[in-house]
Structure formats: structure tokens, C-alpha cells
């Protein structure tokens, strides 16, 4: 498996709140719908249900990630459904203070060695964008 870690972002919420909000993703769909058009456009085509994230990307189509791991207040894992290759996203939460949490997304994907140079940059970009999306959705 190849791992691509997004840039860590700090959200101004305690780790327990971050974990609880990420455990039930449906609140993000409501939040997403209230974002200004420019912020929504920056996030791309993404939808949320209670336990999944659905991302539609050009040339890839729809990818659905379902909650696969829950470690209270420190990690949530998502596994891709119907993916031709094993693909997972981990969100690690590290308390910075009583009111802020560092959040970092990591993408684990099983890419054949010969394809890593071709897709590695795009996977890193996706990990960074996922972290950025979390930062945007937690902005107050």
C-alpha cells in the first residue's frame, strides 16, 4: 500500500467534538449547502450521508467511502466501496489544546509499483484537498 498524507490542519474545536462530528457525517451535508458558492466550488462534487462520503471526480466517477474504523477522539477510517483496488482514508486527530485539534488525512491505496510515478502526484493532491475540505467544513 502506498500512503499519501495530507498537510495537517488545525481546527478550532476540541478533539472530542471533531470526532463526534466526523462520526455522523450527515451534519456536513447541511453545512456544505450553506457555504458560499466559491467555497463550495473549491471542494468539488462531494456529498455526505450519516456514515459515508461520496466524491465524484472527473475521469474517475463516483467513489463512496464508508466508515470502517472508529477510535474515539483520535482516528476515523473510511474504506472505498466497489473500488477496483484497496483504497482507504484515515483521519487522525491530535489535541493541540482544550479548544483546538490538529487533523490530518492519509490515503492508503494499493497501486502497482510501475504506476506510482504516474498517479502519486494526484494522490498527494487528493490527500491535501481532503485535509483542506475538513478545515473548510470546521471553519466557524
Amino acid at each position: 500500500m502506498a500512503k499519501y498524507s495530507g498537510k495537517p490542519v488545525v481546527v478550532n474545536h476540541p478533539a472530542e467534538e471533531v470526532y463526534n462530528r466526523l462520526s455522523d457525517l450527515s451534519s456536513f451535508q447541511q453545512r456544505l449547502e450553506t457555504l458560499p458558492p466559491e467555497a463550495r466550488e473549491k471542494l468539488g462534487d462531494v456529498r455526505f450521508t450519516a456514515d459515508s462520503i461520496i466524491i465524484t471526480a472527473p475521469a474517475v466517477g463516483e467513489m463512496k467511502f464508508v466508515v470502517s474504523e472508529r477510535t474515539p477522539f483520535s482516528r476515523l477510517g473510511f474504506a472505498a466501496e466497489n473500488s477496483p483496488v484497496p483504497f482507504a482514508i484515515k483521519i487522525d486527530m491530535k489535541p493541540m489544546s482544550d479548544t483546538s485539534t490538529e487533523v490530518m488525512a492519509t490515503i492508503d491505496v494499493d497501486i502497482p509499483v510501475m504506476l506510482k510515478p504516474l498517479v502519486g502526484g494526484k494522490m498527494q493532491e487528493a490527500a491535501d484537498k481532503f485535509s483542506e475540505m475538513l478545515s473548510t467544513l470546521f471553519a466557524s
Side-chain angles (χ1 to χ4, degrees):
M1 296 278 271
K3 291 187 182 209
Y4 300 92
S5 294
K7 296 174 186 163
V9 296
V10 175
V11 295
N12 293 323
H13 298 278
E16 185 174 342
E17 181 182 335
V18 172
Y19 174 84
N20 288 337
R21 286 178 67 185
L22 289 173
S23 290
D24 178 7
L25 298 165
S26 60
S27 66
F28 286 112
Q29 186 63 38
Q30 296 165 350
R31 173 84 171 106
L32 189 65
E33 292 167 5
T34 65
L35 289 174
E38 58 277 358
R40 172 91 190 223
E41 186 176 315
K42 191 175 180 182
L43 294 176
D45 187 4
V46 62
R47 297 184 319 271
F48 298 93
T49 67
D51 65 350
S52 68
I53 302 169
I54 303 154
I55 301 169
T56 304
V60 175
E62 185 176 282
M63 293 192 71
K64 183 176 184 179
F65 296 92
V66 179
V67 175
S68 61
E69 176 186 351
R70 285 186 167 99
T71 304
F73 318 129
S74 64
R75 176 180 274 189
L76 275 167
F78 299 88
E81 249 184 21
N82 301 325
S83 177
V85 295
F87 192 102
I89 298 173
K90 305 287 184 198
I91 301 172
D92 289 302
M93 294 156 267
K94 180 176 147 186
M96 302 300 289
S97 71
D98 289 343
T99 60
S100 67
T101 305
E102 181 182 84
V103 180
M104 185 173 72
T106 301
I107 295 175
D108 290 334
V109 63
D110 193 5
I111 301 173
V113 174
M114 64 186 146
L115 292 180
K116 283 183 184 178
L118 298 173
V119 298
K122 289 293 184 188
M123 295 307 297
Q124 183 60 54
E125 185 179 319
D128 290 338
K129 188 167 183 110
F130 197 86
S131 289
E132 183 180 312
M133 176 185 68
L134 291 170
S135 176
T136 301
L137 290 172
F138 274 98
S140 297

